[in-house]
Amino acid sequence: YLTDEFAAEPFGWEFDVVRLLVISLLRAGKLEATSKGQVIESALTLEARNTFTNNNLFRQASFRPKVGLEFTNIVDAADHFKEVFGKEVSELEQGVLAHALREEIHRFDEGLQETFTTLVQHNLPGGDVLRTALDQMRAIRAGKEEQAILNFNGSYKELKEAIKRGAELSQELNETRLLDLARARQAIDQLWPCLQAEPELSEEVASHAEQLSDCLAKETFFRQLPEIDQHAKALEQEYGRLHQEAASQRAEAYAAALQQLRNTPGWEALAALGEEVQQRVVQPLASRASSDDCEATPIPLLRADLAACSGRLATAVEEMLRLVDGSRLVRVEASNFFSGGIESKEQLEQALNGLKDQCLELIGAGKKVLVQ
């Protein structure tokens, strides 16, 4: 609040300027600070050093003028008590008011702590609001009566908002909702990066992703759970469609490669070496020749498998022929004769003649040539 207020006209102060002036007021004994449930009255304490040298702790701290408790403070606290907790204090007396405050705070503290823990465990936003309120509650419970009342007057708005938000979160974040939110987080963190790389992605899908990311980042995400579920399902459906398409393409390519392997001369001879040997050769192709049981395989890996299909087929053919022909088999890479490309008939004839000469030389030496 302080940094936002003093950043505006007519001040225009930067964050560090506000921090310097707050520290100066604390050092001069004009302010008290509350951080992580502890009241800081001196700028020379370890708690003050930890709070003021940490940007996050400084932003979460609260401050109030260092004054003694007066009757007007008790009256104000009684009004704030009714506003926050919906009931009146039985008596406008310091001890009675402090006791009532601690009782009410104890009534909400445990539930608010559980809700805060749920937000942290499930990586959900809004935890800072509850953590700040819990720190204030801790300070009110642990402080002297005078400090408890003054702390409450300085933080009652935050406490009211935190209690209200905690009640809403507790009601909304049941097991089913938490599972839905986990699905939504998975959709934006894992599915969306894959979809984002698609060259023909529709604007509608991109819009769903943008709105889902925006909803999940808001502290009030729990008020948009139907929209979150809708956007997440849209991403899941698009990913499912593309995944099924990629899985089918991979299965078709490997089924064709498997059939080509079985039609290659030497397959029958391989069968004579035993089923276990045959299965070892075909396994890299056969394991990818079906779209079943590949739900957990991401789309990029499915497409990488598709691109590697011809290479795996060539490897399987070579392995099969080596098992059948042994050391007689020699592999010749045709690409070595065509490196740099072909631009004329003469270059083509020269490359083909070179390939032919090497094959004839190997055949003459009693070898079996595998051209790949």
Side-chain angles (χ1 to χ4, degrees):
Y1 171 79
L2 291 175
T3 55
D4 290 343
E5 186 72 15
F6 287 115
E9 293 182 355
F11 305 99
W13 295 348
E14 295 181 355
F15 176 83
D16 286 334
V17 174
V18 175
R19 173 159 52 185
L20 173 62
L21 295 176
V22 169
I23 296 173
S24 300
L25 288 169
L26 181 68
R27 183 69 178 84
K30 301 296 184 181
L31 283 183
E32 286 184 351
T34 303
S35 175
K36 298 172 66 175
Q38 292 185 319
V39 176
I40 302 173
E41 298 183 86
S42 170
L44 304 179
T45 62
L46 179 61
E47 291 78 10
R49 176 179 297 181
N50 292 337
T51 297
F52 287 104
T53 57
N54 184 297
N55 289 351
N56 290 331
L57 291 180
F58 176 68
R59 291 182 186 279
Q60 293 164 12
S62 63
F63 306 91
R64 66 171 182 271
K66 190 173 183 179
V67 295
L69 185 68
E70 299 178 359
F71 185 71
T72 54
N73 301 128
I74 295 176
V75 173
D76 290 341
D79 292 338
H80 300 155
F81 185 93
K82 183 177 181 181
E83 181 178 343
V84 174
F85 302 114
K87 58 178 71 173
E88 295 185 352
V89 183
S90 61
E91 186 178 345
L92 292 179
E93 192 273 326
Q94 175 178 315
V96 173
L97 178 57
H99 179 72
L101 276 173
R102 288 166 178 158
E103 276 196 339
E104 288 301 313
I105 284 174
H106 178 72
R107 188 162 65 90
F108 289 102
D109 179 69
E110 184 176 352
L112 209 58
Q113 181 64 56
E114 289 179 0
T115 303
F116 171 72
T117 302
T118 299
L119 292 178
V120 173
Q121 288 178 342
H122 292 85
N123 193 28
L124 297 170
D128 287 345
V129 173
L130 301 189
R131 180 172 57 189
T132 301
L134 286 167
D135 287 343
Q136 294 292 349
M137 288 179 169
R138 195 175 299 116
I140 291 171
R141 288 202 319 270
K144 298 176 183 178
E145 291 179 353
E146 179 179 320
Q147 289 179 333
I149 293 170
L150 291 173
N151 268 334
F152 179 68
N153 280 344
S155 61
Y156 76 96
K157 290 182 179 179
E158 291 83 356
L159 292 178
K160 179 181 178 181
E161 171 62 22
I163 290 171
K164 177 185 176 183
R165 183 175 297 190
E168 291 183 76
L169 285 166
S170 179
Q171 183 178 359
E172 293 290 346
L173 297 184
N174 54 45
E175 187 175 350
T176 301
R177 290 295 196 183
L178 288 172
L179 288 174
D180 289 341
L181 286 166
R183 280 181 39 252
R185 177 63 63 188
Q186 183 182 34
I188 202 65
D189 289 346
Q190 299 180 25
L191 305 188
W192 172 236
C194 292
L195 294 174
Q196 198 172 15
E198 292 295 314
E200 299 181 0
L201 184 71
S202 69
E203 292 184 3
E204 182 180 2
V205 174
S207 176
H208 280 297
E210 182 180 355
Q211 293 180 66
L212 177 59
S213 181
D214 182 59
C215 290
L216 289 175
K218 291 180 178 178
E219 290 184 351
T220 54
F221 70 92
F222 54 92
R223 295 170 185 160
Q224 296 178 286
L225 293 176
E227 292 92 331
I228 289 174
D229 188 55
Q230 176 188 355
H231 298 315
K233 284 182 177 178
L235 295 185
E236 289 171 342
Q237 289 171 358
E238 180 64 12
Y239 183 88
R241 183 185 70 81
L242 292 172
H243 187 278
Q244 181 58 45
E245 181 181 286
S248 298
Q249 290 174 347
R250 185 186 75 163
E252 291 172 6
Y254 276 89
L258 189 59
Q259 187 60 45
Q260 186 175 341
L261 175 64
R262 289 169 175 161
N263 292 337
T264 302
W267 175 257
E268 298 298 335
L270 181 65
L273 298 178
E275 184 177 351
E276 184 178 345
V277 174
Q278 199 175 43
Q279 289 301 317
R280 188 177 72 242
V281 173
V282 303
Q283 194 276 335
L285 303 179
S287 63
R288 296 172 173 84
S290 171
S291 58
D292 297 335
D293 301 324
C294 65
E295 291 83 0
T297 306
I299 292 175
L301 184 55
L302 290 172
R303 290 179 174 162
D305 279 343
L306 179 62
C309 181
S310 58
R312 288 195 173 105
L313 173 59
T315 300
V317 169
E318 182 178 356
E319 183 180 1
M320 177 186 70
L321 294 178
R322 287 197 183 280
L323 288 169
V324 173
D325 297 296
S327 60
R328 286 186 60 242
L329 184 71
V330 176
R331 179 165 61 90
V332 174
E333 294 187 10
S335 60
N336 291 338
F337 297 91
F338 297 89
S339 59
I342 302 296
E343 295 181 324
S344 65
K345 180 179 178 181
E346 290 76 14
Q347 287 180 331
L348 176 60
E349 289 178 352
Q350 183 180 1
L352 292 174
N353 287 334
L355 177 60
K356 178 181 177 182
D357 290 343
Q358 184 172 357
C359 290
L360 288 174
E361 181 181 348
L362 292 170
I363 292 171
K367 300 296 185 180
K368 182 174 181 177
V369 179
L370 173 62
V371 179
Q372 288 187 335

